Amino acid sequence: MIRLTALALSTLALGACMAIPLQTAPVAQTAAPVFDPAPAQVTGIAGLQSREPDACHAGSYRHALGQPGTVIPSLGLTRDYRVVEYRGIEPQEYDPLRIVFRLDAAGNIQNIDCG
């Protein structure tokens, strides 16, 4: 008898947990939303510089390819330059007029370009 009463009470308790469907009020029709006009189309990306071929005249120093990086100061550079060591960290600011000497693992000039 006690088991039957406990079973009946637990069934009633679980029945009380059932969700009751909610009734919603009808949604009133409203006018279509008004949007601002689209912004003017951008024809280019602001802040970027185009990479012109050999703007820093790096080709003038191609004779130094394969030479040790220690010869760079003796090349008679009249422009800003940067030396990037093998697996070195290179800042990301771009200067199309700066010459960049990239060294290999042995410390020799591997590449010369602008940036």
Side-chain angles (χ1 to χ4, degrees), residues 3-4 35 38-40 44-45 47-48 57-58 64 73 82 96 99 104-106 111:
R3 285 188 180 168
L4 187 57
F35 295 103
I45 299 175
L48 295 181
H57 304 289
R82 172 182 287 161
I99 302 171
D104 61 9
N111 189 18

Side-chain angles (χ1 to χ4, degrees), residues 15-82:
C17 292
M18 293 179 59
I20 300 172
L22 298 175
Q23 293 183 350
T24 57
V27 177
Q29 295 293 331
T30 59
V34 177
F35 295 103
D36 292 333
Q41 185 175 5
V42 178
T43 57
I45 299 175
L48 295 181
Q49 298 175 0
S50 63
R51 292 184 180 234
E52 298 175 12
D54 203 19
C56 66
H57 304 289
S60 303
Y61 302 100
R62 294 286 178 203
H63 65 277
L65 286 173
Q67 295 184 14
T70 56
V71 302
I72 295 172
S74 66
L75 293 176
L77 297 166
T78 57
R79 299 178 178 268
D80 288 340
Y81 68 93
R82 172 182 287 161

